Amino acid sequence: MECIQRAAGAVVGSAVGDALGGPFEFGPQGAFSARFPTPGGGGEMCGGGGWDRGEATDDTQMAVLVAESLLEQKGLDLPDIFARFQRWAASEPKDIGLQTEDVLTNGMPWDLAAAIHFQVNRRAAGNGSLMRATTSAVYFAAAGRQATMDAARRIAALTHGDRAAWEGTAIFHELVRLLLDGHTDPLTTLDDILALVHPDHRGRYATVLSPDWHPDQATEFNGAVWPCLGSAVWALRTTTSFEDALCAAIDLGGDTDTVAAVTGAMAGAYYGLDAIPARWTEPLHVPLPGFGGRVLRLADLLHLANCLVKECRY
Ligand SMILES: [Mg+2]
């Protein structure tokens, strides 16, 4: 499979998962398959909970902001990404993580806001930096393992002062890199990735990424970074199609849009763009509050994916 097929699959797959999971956020386990008992039956992109049919949430909106910064600034410009996040946060997006909102609106400079929030609150290991990481993972993949993991940590640190969030985002970047590279089963190579995780955080990720871990064993709500990443890897590992991976992710309940966005990125990279059903991409749209009323659709996301890959020349 062509790399662009996988990259487009990751970018679109994440957005599809986000839009598919949004209406089920904070719902119970099994709600998705209870409502749509026939696989492939249609109607799953249903809207609800304040979301229009096919509307992507903050996860994808922030991922697009990161992508546009990387492309327009021709590389990693952390103050520029932070400024775009702030502009978006000030424009009343329908949803924004509590911690992300505080960091982006507390008036502190880009390189201190998240760290100070963490010093005061001590809890900052939400999945908010992981949820928006697909575009940067595609962009930095060609730079290699160390570079993509470092970039992941630095972008995560813009809003999350807790190193646990940096490490989870770095693991995700590397998983996406391996998938784009066409590794048939990147999930067997997790020991190699774990070796590059900060030692203070390695054990906890080793637990949730273990092949015998099940999301029912999570010790936190899946709005936290560890079970969110673990659940997404579990959903990819235990299913055999893009559609089934997303259904499994959303059926876990809880933070369904983000778990499905993370799952959709990996499943999209693994199965490729063509595995994502048109009935899910047709209504897909990504509003960008604060950016002139722009709304991205499938063609715009494909263009973005194309540019993210082309910039890296691979
Ligand atoms: Mg969301």
Side-chain angles (χ1 to χ4, degrees):
M1 195 188 306
E2 294 272 336
C3 176
I4 185 61
Q5 263 284 320
R6 296 186 184 278
V11 172
V12 174
S14 181
V16 159
D18 179 19
L20 211 52
F24 294 88
E25 193 175 13
F26 305 128
Q29 283 190 10
F32 188 78
S33 56
R35 183 160 169 190
F36 305 108
T38 309
E44 305 94 337
M45 200 60 101
C46 55
W51 303 105
D52 295 333
R53 177 174 173 263
E55 183 177 8
T57 80
D58 50 341
D59 308 43
T60 308
Q61 294 172 17
M62 295 187 86
V64 168
L65 297 179
V66 171
E68 293 187 341
S69 175
L70 291 170
L71 294 170
E72 288 169 26
Q73 302 303 114
K74 302 193 190 313
L76 187 56
D77 182 338
L78 294 168
D80 181 74
I81 295 175
F82 191 79
R84 288 172 197 249
F85 284 174
Q86 284 184 309
R87 182 173 160 186
W88 168 81
S91 303
E92 299 183 3
K94 281 188 187 178
D95 197 14
I96 180 169
L98 290 175
Q99 177 192 330
T100 297
E101 180 173 27
D102 185 56
V103 168
L104 294 175
T105 59
N106 69 9
M108 300 299 294
W110 72 271
D111 52 347
L112 291 176
I116 288 172
H117 179 276
F118 183 48
Q119 270 179 12
V120 172
N121 294 277
R122 300 313 302 170
R123 285 172 67 88
N127 58 19
S129 67
L130 174 62
M131 73 178 195
R132 61 170 193 245
T134 304
T135 51
S136 50
V138 169
Y139 182 83
F140 285 105
R145 168 173 280 183
Q146 197 64 57
T148 193
M149 292 180 83
D150 285 348
R153 293 181 177 103
R154 297 177 74 193
I155 300 171
L158 286 174
T159 50
H160 289 64
D162 191 328
R163 182 148 202 154
W166 310 358
E167 297 306 299
T169 309
I171 293 169
F172 172 79
H173 258 229
E174 173 61 4
L175 282 171
V176 169
R177 187 186 75 83
L178 290 168
L179 288 162
L180 295 181
D181 234 9
H183 286 249
T184 49
D185 191 2
L187 304 182
T188 61
T189 63
L190 296 186
D191 284 350
D192 292 351
I193 301 176
L194 286 167
L196 297 170
V197 172
H198 190 283
D200 292 353
H201 298 274
R202 196 175 293 150
R204 214 153 169 190
Y205 281 109
T207 298
V208 298
L209 297 175
S210 160
D212 56 8
W213 185 82
H214 187 280
D216 285 348
Q217 297 166 246
T219 52
E220 311 84 10
F221 174 62
N222 60 17
V225 63
W226 310 278
C228 181
L229 182 64
S231 295
V233 169
W234 169 86
L236 181 62
R237 251 183 195 143
T238 55
T239 55
T240 54
S241 73
F242 180 86
E243 291 187 36
D244 287 351
L246 288 204
C247 295
I250 299 170
D251 259 345
L252 293 172
D255 197 359
T256 47
D257 58 327
T258 295
V259 176
V262 177
T263 304
M266 294 191 288
Y270 185 67
Y271 294 109
L273 179 68
D274 290 348
I276 305 176
R279 70 179 192 282
W280 290 355
T281 55
E282 180 272 321
L284 179 65
H285 59 286
V286 189
L288 274 192
F291 291 79
R294 287 172 58 212
V295 179
L296 285 80
R297 293 196 166 269
L298 175 62
D300 305 302
L301 293 174
L302 292 175
H303 177 69
L304 210 55
N306 212 16
C307 294
L308 289 168
V309 172
K310 199 158 55 186
E311 282 285 312
C312 286
R313 296 184 191 85
Y314 80 112

